Amino acid sequence: MSNIPSDLKYAKSHEWARLSGDIAVVGITDHAQHELTDVVFVELPQVGKDLKAGDTCAVVESVKTASDIYAPLAGKITEVNQAVADNPALVNTDPYGQGWLFKMQVAASEKGSELLTPEQYRDQIGGA
Amino acid sequence: MKRTPLYAAHQRLGGKLIEFGGWEMPVQYTSIADEHLAVRRAAGIFDISHMGEVAVSGPGAEAFLNNALTNDVRKLEPGWGQYSIMCNHKGGAIDDLYVYRTGKTSFLLIINASRIEVDVAWLKQLCKEAGAAGTIQLEDISDKMGAVAVQGPAVRVMIDSVFPSKPLDGTVERCSDLKKNQVARCAFGTTEAWVASTGYTGEDGFEIVVPAEHIEAVWNKVLETGASAGLKPCGLGARDTLRTEVCYPLYGHELDEQTTPLEAGLGFFVSMDKGPFIGKDAMAQLKAAGLPKRLVAFRMTDRSAPPRPHYPIWSKGVDPQQLGQVASGTQSPSLNVGIGMAYVPPQFATPDTAIDVEIRGKRFAACVVRKPIYRKQ
C-alpha cells in the first residue's frame, strides 16, 4: 500500500506539494516512484522559471522510460534539489523527504483548487 | 492482445504487464535493474512463449533452408543450432532467428513473436515457388509450444535438477554437458522438451521449448530449483537491457526489411561462400559498392539522461551533421551509464569516434565503442 502523507496536497499527475506560507516543496508520490522503479536520471527546472499549473517542468527517467513532471501550482521556481540530480535513487528511497525535486513561490492568484486531498488521491490510484 | 500460457503465473507473481508486438507480456516483476543484475550475478527466468516455432522437415528441408537463410545450415549436425538471418531478395532482413537441426532431415526455427505471420507466409511462398511441397513439410507450431529462457552464471549447475534423466537423443549425458548452440530432447514429467544452450543476455544459459500445456510446470520447477541460488523471474525490460549491453539486435530496432545483416554487423552469420541463397546477390553488390551505414555501439561520456530509440545522433565539430538516430538505447544497469546502438555512415563507425546524442533538444557527448559494450567478468 502506497504511503500518502496526510499533510500534503496531490496533483492528478502524481506530484505532491508541501505548502508553507507561499512556498511549495514539490516531489513525486510513493505510488509514482513505485510505478517508475529505478529512477536513473532527474532533469530539474531552471531556478527563476515562471510556471503555470500543469506546465511540464522536470523529467524523471527510469531504466525503461522518461516521465514528464508537471508543476502542481502556478508560481516561480526558487530552488532545485541538487542532491537528487546527483543521486536520482533518492526519488525511490525517500520520495517525500530527500527525494524532493524543487521549491516554488506560489503565485498570489493560485488557489490550489485543482489539487487533491490525500483521500482523493488515494481514490484516484484505486486505493492502492 | 495475445497471452502466453504463463499469463496467470505472471499475474500471481505481480508482473507489470505491457503490450509487446501484439502480446501482453510482463515488463518487470520487481524492477528492471534488479532483474538485470540477478541475471548477471546469479540467474533469471524469462517467458519467451510469445516467440514463434516453425518445424521444417523432409528430404528437401536442408536445401530449402540453406536457400532461405544466410548462414550455412549444412554445417549443422543433428543436435546443433546456429543463429541466422532470413533475407528478402534485396538482402533486407525479414527476421533473425535460431535454426536447430533436430534430426537428419528435420529442423526447428525459433522466430520473433512480431514476425510469425510474415515469416510463415514468406516460407510458404518460397516453398511453393520451389515446387518443393512434396519434399518439405512446414508447420507453424507457435501456438502449440511454450518456451522459457533460463539465463545466468548459476544456471548450468541447476539445469540437471530440472531435467534429471539422460537426454533422449543420446548426444550428451546430461543437459549441463550441452555446449553453446547444442540442443537435446529431454524428458520432463510426461512430456518432452527441447533444451538448447543459448540465450539473449550474454550469459550462459538455456532455452527450453515444451508443449504449451506443460510450460507452467517447467516455469515452476525452474523457480523452485533456482530459488536458493538467487534466480528471479525477469521481464522484457531486463531482457532488453541485457541484450543491449551485449549488442544483440532486436528486430524492429537494429533490423528491418530495408537493412541488410552486413550493415547490422552480422556478416559472421552470412555465408557468402556457401552457394546461392536469397539476398546474396544484393548483399554482394552492396558490399562491392561500400556499405552506406553501419551499426555501432556507443556509450555516453557526458552525464545525461539515458539515450532512447529515435534520438538523433550528430557528428562533432564546427559543422555538425545528423548521422542517424538511436536504434536501441537505455541506461546500462551493469555499467551505470547511458548506452545504445545506432546506424551511422561508415566513416563514423570506428571505435573512439566522438559523437553527440540529442536528448530533448540538447546535445550530449558520446563515444563509439567496440561491441559488446558489456563483457562478462
Side-chain angles (χ1 to χ4, degrees):
Chain A
M1 193 149 148
S2 286
N3 177 16
I4 304 176
S6 57
D7 60 331
L8 305 179
K9 292 284 204 176
Y10 298 87
K12 290 192 179 80
S13 47
H14 309 286
E15 295 83 9
W16 56 262
R18 180 180 288 121
L19 286 150
S20 71
D22 63 350
I23 297 292
V25 185
V26 177
I28 67 166
T29 65
D30 183 43
H31 173 75
Q33 74 75 20
H34 184 77
E35 287 294 304
L36 286 170
T37 72
D38 308 326
V39 173
V40 294
F41 188 82
V42 177
E43 191 170 297
L44 295 167
Q46 287 280 332
V47 170
K49 192 168 172 137
D50 276 308
L51 296 163
K52 298 192 293 295
D55 280 354
T56 307
C57 61
V59 183
V60 171
E61 301 221 18
S62 64
V63 175
K64 191 75 188 162
T65 51
S67 304
D68 286 332
I69 304 302
Y70 304 94
L73 297 153
K76 187 192 286 284
I77 301 290
T78 57
E79 192 181 339
V80 296
N81 185 3
Q82 192 54 44
V84 86
D86 294 338
N87 180 12
L90 290 173
V91 174
N92 295 117
T93 54
D94 193 7
Y96 299 111
Q98 294 179 73
W100 65 276
L101 300 179
F102 55 86
K103 293 182 186 176
M104 57 197 303
Q105 184 171 32
V106 182
S109 56
E110 177 63 82
K111 301 283 184 279
S113 49
E114 292 296 306
L115 294 182
L116 307 176
T117 64
E119 295 72 28
Q120 288 168 326
Y121 182 65
R122 186 175 298 284
D123 284 347
Q124 186 202 304
I125 62 174
Chain B
M1 256 189 295
K2 291 200 219 174
R3 290 174 176 176
T4 76
L6 288 169
Y7 180 79
H10 301 320
Q11 279 191 312
R12 274 199 300 280
L13 286 163
K16 186 173 169 187
L17 299 160
I18 57 152
E19 194 269 340
F20 175 80
W23 292 79
E24 195 172 3
M25 298 294 291
V27 63
Q28 63 189 45
Y29 301 86
T30 54
S31 88
I32 292 172
D34 187 44
E35 293 162 22
H36 177 112
L37 295 173
V39 172
R40 288 274 180 257
R41 292 167 185 167
I45 182 169
F46 301 81
D47 179 11
I48 55 166
S49 301
H50 58 313
M51 295 191 79
E53 294 86 15
V54 178
V56 184
S57 60
E62 182 188 90
F64 173 73
L65 289 174
N66 218 34
N67 181 53
L69 306 176
T70 59
N71 211 336
D72 193 345
V73 177
R74 296 170 306 178
K75 287 182 179 164
L76 294 178
E77 296 284 334
W80 290 85
Q82 67 189 186
Y83 178 70
S84 199
I85 298 100
M86 182 159 75
C87 289
N88 57 33
H89 293 286
K90 291 178 175 168
I94 293 172
D95 204 358
D96 65 328
L97 52 85
Y98 247 84
V99 53
Y100 293 102
R101 188 191 283 263
T102 50
K104 200 163 181 296
T105 58
S106 56
F107 297 86
L108 178 67
L109 309 183
I110 310 286
I111 61 179
N112 281 302
S114 61
R115 302 299 289 172
I116 295 172
E117 283 167 25
V118 176
D119 290 2
V120 171
W122 173 257
L123 286 166
K124 284 189 171 160
Q125 176 66 25
L126 290 182
C127 204
K128 205 170 125 190
E129 283 170 13
T135 66
I136 303 163
Q137 288 80 52
L138 201 144
E139 194 189 358
D140 174 11
I141 54 170
S142 304
D143 289 344
K144 294 181 190 165
M145 306 307 279
V148 293
V150 189
Q151 302 278 299
V155 163
R156 195 158 285 265
V157 296
M158 57 167 277
I159 194 73
D160 296 332
S161 305
V162 179
F163 299 100
S165 42
K166 188 184 173 200
L168 301 161
D169 42 14
T171 50
V172 288
E173 284 300 309
R174 54 188 81 80
C175 282
S176 59
D177 290 340
L178 288 170
K179 295 196 165 56
K180 177 86 185 150
N181 288 340
Q182 204 174 5
V183 63
R185 190 115 177 109
C186 297
F188 183 82
T190 57
T191 190
E192 289 174 11
W194 289 113
V195 181
S197 179
T198 179
Y200 193 48
T201 61
E203 296 296 329
D204 192 17
F206 299 89
E207 293 188 349
I208 303 163
V209 182
V210 286
E213 62 273 26
H214 296 281
I215 193 67
E216 195 167 355
V218 173
W219 173 268
N220 289 335
K221 179 74 179 169
V222 171
L223 281 179
E224 180 195 311
T225 310
S228 60
L231 178 138
K232 291 187 178 181
C234 300
L236 292 181
R239 191 166 162 79
D240 192 49
T241 52
L242 287 159
R243 69 94 195 166
T244 302
E245 284 186 346
V246 290
C247 300
Y248 290 167
L250 173 61
Y251 197 89
H253 287 250
E254 284 73 32
L255 290 173
D256 57 42
E257 293 194 14
Q258 281 72 49
T259 303
T260 66
L262 301 182
E263 293 158 297
L266 301 172
F268 182 77
F269 308 99
V270 181
S271 181
M272 292 302 275
D273 57 5
K274 73 171 179 174
F277 62 94
I278 293 171
K280 179 185 175 179
D281 295 346
M283 280 191 273
Q285 279 173 26
L286 194 69
K287 209 171 175 177
L291 301 178
K293 60 177 181 180
R294 280 180 187 275
L295 185 67
V296 297
F298 66 87
R299 59 188 284 168
M300 303 306 300
T301 48
D302 269 348
R303 192 177 144 72
S304 77
R308 309 278 185 195
H310 308 301
Y311 285 3
I313 301 272
W314 294 85
S315 63
K316 292 281 204 186
V318 285
D319 181 25
Q321 306 291 312
Q322 189 175 339
L323 303 177
Q325 52 176 322
V326 175
S328 294
T330 188
Q331 181 83 0
S332 160
S334 302
L335 306 170
N336 258 317
V337 64
I339 60 164
M341 287 180 275
Y343 280 100
V344 297
Q347 63 270 33
F348 294 92
T350 317
D352 299 327
T353 303
I355 54 170
D356 275 341
V357 181
E358 183 183 324
I359 302 174
R360 292 189 283 278
K362 274 186 256 173
R363 291 181 202 172
F364 295 90
C367 185
V368 173
V369 295
R370 264 176 226 292
K371 297 181 226 173
I373 302 165
Y374 171 85
R375 276 189 180 76
K376 239 169 100 164
Q377 308 301 301

